[in-house]
Amino acid sequence: MNNSQSIQSEIKRFLKFFFQELKPQGKWLTPFNIITIPIIIVGLIILYFRFTEGLGSVTNLSQKYPWGFWIGFDVVTGVAFAGGAYIITFVVYVMRVEKYHSIVRVTVLNGLLAYIFYAGALVLDLGKPWNIINPIIGNSFGYNSVLFLVSWHFLLYMIAEFIEFSPVIAEWAKFEKLRKILNSLTLATVIFGITLSTLHQSGLGALFLMAKPKIHPLWYTEFIPILFLVSSIFAGLSMIIFEGTISHKVFKKLIDPKHHHSFNEIIFGLAKGAAISMFVYYFFKALIFVHGKHWDLLNDFWGGWFLLEVIGLVLIPCFMFAYSVRNKSLGIIRVASILSLIGIILNRLNISVITFNWNVVDKYIPSWQEIVVTLMVISCELWVFRWIVTRMPVFEKNKNY
Amino acid sequence: MDRRNFLKTAAAISVALPNGKTKAENQNVEKEFYGVLVDTTRCIGCRSCEVACSLEHNLFVPDITKDNAFNSIRDTSEKQWTVVNCYDTAKGKVYVKKQCMHCWQPACSAACLTNAMFKTTDGPVIWRENKCMGCRYCMVSCPFDIPKFEYHEWNPKIQKCKMCYERIIDGKKPACVDACPMDALMFGSKRELLEIARYRVYSHPEKYEPKIYGEYEVGGTGWLYLSPVPFDQIGFRTDLGNTPYPEYTREFLYAVPLVLFGVPALLLGLNMLTERKNEIGKTEELNHE
Ligand code: SF4
Ligand code: SF4
């Protein structure tokens, strides 16, 4: 049998296998489906209007608020939450801390899907999405645009994440040779991916540097890029803790008991990392605050709002993480991870939406349609996630990996 | 050498190495940007410019006899590129025309990832439909909140004054300037306009504030304003600073090539270090391949 024939038969086998796997497994009327299916349907209807009647027909965006919930939450916050993938691949492949190896696959998968869906949500927000090819194919490079940089990095990073995850796909599809090749690419793509991540996590912050006169002075600083980068570390770690805790309940059957045990150890390690990075972040925030001489700004509503974010949702969860690592308390870690996730949501929304044009009278409040579409994006992601983890070897620890 | 300069130099080196020299310096053909001087002491609020602009660009033509527009402060919109507002001040009513300032180093075009927002060599900042992808980052970045977006179109445009770029190319003045019966608008190169503006302020100090708005603001703008009262009383933001807005992101962008080369090297180094450590530590059969 010559080579091309064997490839052909391989592809045939794969397609058959793929269609077989496409079929749903198990019951249809699970609570998860009952909640998400209507959301997805309504979301699609909303999107129909969005693309035929314009953004204004379903969103509350205005001339003063060109960016709303879709950018502020889906893209800016979603990408911060996806930071876990670059942190974990750094720890496992660069620093070679074997302890975390068992969560690499699921974290990378989460990162990949988060980028596809949340950064993909950017397309929904574009007025002329068909022109998105312009900055990609190169007939119009805006080299000095931060957004140009960020969008390119999104694209490249998605590819890198895909390659990092691809051995799992190859394993599932039983492409043995391919898996070996893909596996050998891991270190290179990991390094490439981490580099891209540092740049676009901070780049998302740099987007707002030119909005200097619009963002409230308590939040605007020339160090926004660094703050975004540092906070993406604990955003990612908290997300792994949060998500891992849920996955371990929902997908219990898929996870082998040995891993179940070691997962608690992993959580303590992650919590430690979160505590340290949060402290560093808090320290930066405090330094910038003192340096900016903003004491007088603390007296009004915005001052309280700022303290809520920085003390209530950074410093307190930071201490909770530190405390629970010492006392081995999983419960407190879970609460702390939720608090710090809320803190990240608040921080990203504060900069991109809430304190943007803070002195304008008609504030922007997202419309219900914007929220439903966001929920739709999340639901779709969870569907794909579920589909993959129930079929591909994501949770099992594989010795060859 | 401070950090900023260091980064600049480093970035310049990393970019310029292949062709040896940074070429921007050589090809600087001296061509002056055009602009317009608005003398608010001359403006009588007739709004001829609003009408002329809308007619020229097929926009919404306001009914200036009946619409009582001066009852509120209006903003330019996706339907009107320029509006005239009326401010009650200590020196009586002052009428102020508002439109794109045609910044010398525009935030909008630095923001634009497709170069759809574009500073022409003649001075006007124009918007090019076939390039724009509607991300609205220009709106986020413009310090004067000028670009406006058509939220109710399936194929939306960004709408803003383009200083009648086509007319300028044809050797004509912008439509609003031609329409003004009071010579409140004057078209010319920024150097000429500044001279005239200074002359007016010097010769009538009682009539003018000793300041030309746009001379230094946000790094200098193509449109310049004279006023009888301090500018914050006639709707101008005086807290924008004199730094060109693209400067705020420049440092970040300069750091990018450094990170792009530096971080992988660092990571690879770390990776090799940990390998050594692992070997020395315990000879476990950890299979990394
Ligand atoms: S005023 Fe705004 S839209 Fe006009 S050139 Fe300056 S930055 Fe661009
Ligand atoms: S909306 Fe269009 S013109 Fe404005 S920054 Fe985006 S691509 Fe450029």
Side-chain angles (χ1 to χ4, degrees):
Chain A
M1 193 158 62
N2 68 30
N3 229 346
S4 75
Q5 258 174 342
S6 82
I7 288 177
Q8 246 174 31
S9 70
E10 270 289 272
I11 289 175
K12 254 191 217 141
R13 180 190 65 73
F14 173 72
L15 285 178
K16 215 170 130 199
F17 172 67
F18 181 74
F19 284 117
Q20 208 181 323
E21 290 278 81
L22 218 49
K23 277 190 223 130
Q25 292 177 345
K27 280 192 308 207
W28 256 100
L29 287 176
T30 58
F32 173 75
N33 289 0
I34 293 174
I35 297 171
T36 52
I37 291 176
I39 293 180
I40 294 178
I41 294 174
V42 177
L44 288 176
I45 298 173
I46 295 171
L47 285 183
Y48 170 78
F49 285 108
R50 178 253 167 275
F51 281 107
T52 51
E53 321 252 300
L55 275 164
S57 63
V58 296
T59 68
N60 281 346
L61 296 174
S62 64
Q63 307 297 352
K64 288 277 175 201
Y65 285 91
W67 284 356
F69 199 62
W70 287 352
I71 298 286
F73 184 77
D74 299 15
V75 181
V76 179
T77 313
V79 167
F81 283 166
Y86 85 92
I87 308 292
I88 291 299
T89 51
F90 172 74
V91 172
V92 172
Y93 292 111
V94 178
M95 303 307 288
R96 298 178 204 253
V97 184
E98 278 305 309
K99 184 169 135 192
Y100 302 100
H101 213 136
S102 60
I103 60 166
V104 164
R105 287 182 168 191
V106 67
T107 314
V108 170
L109 174 64
N110 265 314
L112 174 64
L113 293 182
Y115 274 86
I116 293 177
F117 283 93
Y118 303 143
L122 188 75
V123 177
L124 303 179
D125 198 71
L126 293 179
K128 296 165 172 287
W130 47 91
N131 277 349
I132 200 171
I133 49 156
N134 280 345
I136 296 173
I137 60 173
N139 59 3
S140 306
F141 275 0
Y143 291 112
N144 43 13
S145 163
V146 178
L147 191 57
F148 175 75
L149 184 101
V150 169
S151 48
W152 256 97
H153 282 191
F154 277 176
L155 197 73
L156 293 177
Y157 188 63
M158 275 187 229
I159 297 172
E161 292 271 83
F162 183 75
I163 298 176
E164 278 170 38
F165 187 70
S166 60
V168 182
I169 302 177
E171 197 176 314
W172 161 73
K174 306 194 182 61
F175 289 139
E176 250 319 297
K177 264 195 229 139
L178 194 64
R179 187 180 72 85
K180 288 224 176 81
I181 302 171
L182 290 171
N183 244 342
S184 65
L185 293 175
T186 300
L187 183 64
T189 45
V190 160
I191 288 183
F192 186 54
I194 296 170
T195 312
L196 291 173
S197 289
T198 54
L199 281 174
H200 68 236
Q201 292 286 0
S202 52
L204 276 178
L207 282 181
F208 296 96
L209 287 176
M210 282 200 286
K212 186 173 192 222
K214 300 176 195 175
I215 294 173
H216 191 284
L218 279 174
W219 280 270
Y220 184 89
T221 137
E222 54 175 313
F223 298 108
I224 289 182
I226 295 174
L227 291 175
F228 266 49
L229 180 62
V230 177
S231 56
S232 77
I233 298 177
F234 60 81
L237 293 178
S238 302
M239 196 65 193
I240 302 177
I241 295 175
F242 176 72
E243 208 167 43
T245 312
I246 295 178
S247 294
H248 274 241
K249 289 219 173 75
V250 178
F251 300 110
K252 208 168 184 168
K253 275 180 267 154
L254 299 171
I255 298 160
D256 71 83
K258 234 169 53 209
H259 175 182
H260 220 84
H261 224 71
S262 65
F263 186 64
N264 290 349
E265 273 313 303
I266 290 179
I267 285 197
F268 289 124
L270 298 175
K272 198 164 149 195
I276 295 170
S277 54
M278 284 176 108
F279 193 75
V280 171
Y281 176 76
Y282 178 79
F283 185 72
F284 272 147
K285 271 270 192 198
L287 213 64
I288 291 166
F289 174 77
V290 174
H291 202 74
K293 302 197 178 64
H294 286 322
W295 292 102
D296 52 317
L297 291 177
L298 287 184
N299 296 326
D300 60 358
F301 165 77
W302 294 113
W305 190 243
F306 179 75
L307 290 180
L308 171 72
E309 180 197 315
V310 178
I311 308 249
L313 296 167
V314 177
L315 194 61
I316 290 181
C318 169
F319 283 142
M320 286 169 74
F321 275 131
Y323 172 86
S324 51
V325 170
R326 287 189 68 181
N327 297 288
K328 299 274 174 233
S329 158
L330 277 176
I332 296 182
I333 289 188
R334 283 179 198 145
V335 178
S337 72
I338 293 173
L339 284 184
S340 75
L341 289 177
I342 297 175
I344 289 290
I345 297 178
L346 207 60
N347 172 260
R348 298 304 198 260
L349 285 181
N350 272 339
I351 286 174
S352 58
V353 180
I354 298 174
T355 79
F356 189 85
N357 276 330
W358 51 288
N359 41 14
V360 164
V361 195
D362 336 313
K363 297 292 295 176
Y364 158 88
I365 293 166
S367 67
W368 66 267
Q369 291 100 319
E370 285 173 78
I371 293 176
V372 171
V373 169
T374 300
L375 291 176
M376 180 193 93
V377 172
I378 297 175
S379 308
C380 291
E381 194 220 343
L382 293 177
W383 272 73
V384 176
F385 180 77
R386 184 180 62 173
W387 188 83
I388 293 179
V389 295
T390 48
R391 282 160 183 82
M392 299 186 193
V394 174
F395 284 120
E396 299 102 289
K397 190 168 166 151
N398 187 300
K399 281 163 221 73
N400 304 324
Y401 184 52
Chain B
M1 184 152 48
D2 63 2
R3 181 170 61 109
R4 196 193 190 94
N5 278 332
F6 167 72
L7 285 179
K8 273 186 193 168
T9 324
I13 292 169
S14 65
V15 173
L17 271 181
N19 46 16
K21 222 178 189 183
T22 36
K23 53 179 185 231
E25 242 115 272
N26 311 341
Q27 62 179 27
N28 227 341
V29 194
E30 276 303 322
K31 189 169 176 185
E32 283 184 293
F33 287 154
Y34 286 118
V36 173
L37 172 64
V38 184
D39 189 335
T40 60
T41 65
R42 296 186 178 191
C43 178
I44 53 169
C46 71
R47 299 170 63 204
S48 310
C49 52
E50 280 186 30
V51 174
C53 173
S54 290
L55 289 175
E56 176 77 22
H57 305 290
N58 286 323
L59 300 168
F60 164 75
V61 183
D63 184 356
I64 52 176
T65 52
K66 300 205 192 71
D67 64 0
N68 292 329
F70 289 139
N71 289 348
S72 59
I73 301 294
R74 292 174 301 152
D75 193 3
T76 60
S77 70
E78 72 276 25
K79 299 194 183 77
Q80 256 193 297
W81 290 351
T82 184
V83 292
V84 179
N85 280 315
C86 176
Y87 294 88
D88 270 315
T89 70
K91 290 195 178 174
K93 286 193 186 329
V94 177
Y95 297 97
V96 185
K97 180 183 185 299
K98 178 175 184 179
Q99 74 298 309
C100 172
M101 299 291 283
H102 298 278
C103 308
W104 274 25
Q105 293 188 49
C108 59
S109 89
C112 184
L113 75 169
T114 62
N115 274 336
M117 278 290 180
F118 181 65
K119 177 84 179 162
T120 60
T121 47
D122 298 275
V125 176
I126 60 169
W127 172 80
R128 300 181 291 184
E129 173 158 23
N130 56 343
K131 296 189 182 271
C132 174
M133 56 187 234
C135 66
R136 307 189 295 290
Y137 186 31
C138 49
M139 302 171 72
V140 171
S141 304
C142 168
F144 301 100
D145 272 336
I146 289 298
K148 299 281 148 62
F149 183 78
E150 295 179 335
Y151 282 107
H152 290 279
E153 296 292 331
W154 73 270
N155 183 8
K157 294 192 185 84
I158 293 282
Q159 296 282 10
K160 77 166 209 39
C161 160
K162 55 174 167 178
M163 208 155 129
C164 293
Y165 180 57
E166 289 84 5
R167 288 174 64 105
I168 292 182
I169 294 290
D170 286 348
K172 289 190 269 184
K173 292 176 185 174
C176 54
V177 176
D178 267 350
C180 182
M182 298 303 293
D183 270 340
L185 306 177
M186 178 178 260
F187 177 73
S189 78
K190 181 158 178 181
R191 196 174 36 80
E192 292 162 9
L193 295 178
L194 273 177
E195 264 168 37
I196 292 166
R198 283 203 197 96
Y199 176 75
R200 287 187 197 167
V201 175
Y202 285 145
S203 41
H204 298 282
E206 73 295 343
K207 203 168 149 194
Y208 292 102
E209 254 318 275
K211 175 178 172 61
I212 304 166
Y213 194 95
E215 183 175 11
Y216 302 115
E217 275 70 19
V218 303
T221 59
W223 282 58
L224 304 167
Y225 283 80
L226 286 175
S227 164
V229 291
F231 278 91
D232 50 353
Q233 294 174 21
I234 56 167
F236 284 88
R237 280 193 80 153
T238 47
D239 59 346
L240 297 177
N242 295 342
T243 314
Y245 270 57
E247 282 294 325
Y248 292 117
T249 54
R250 199 149 293 167
E251 205 162 313
F252 174 78
L253 290 170
Y254 276 145
V256 169
L258 292 184
V259 174
L260 224 42
F261 292 110
V263 171
L266 186 80
L267 293 176
L268 216 59
L270 272 176
N271 182 265
M272 275 145 76
L273 268 179
T274 50
E275 189 171 36
R276 287 272 290 293
K277 203 177 74 192
N278 276 358
E279 274 166 18
I280 298 166
K282 39 197 162 149
T283 35
E284 255 182 14
E285 70 289 25
L286 295 173
N287 200 344
H288 284 288
E289 258 67 9

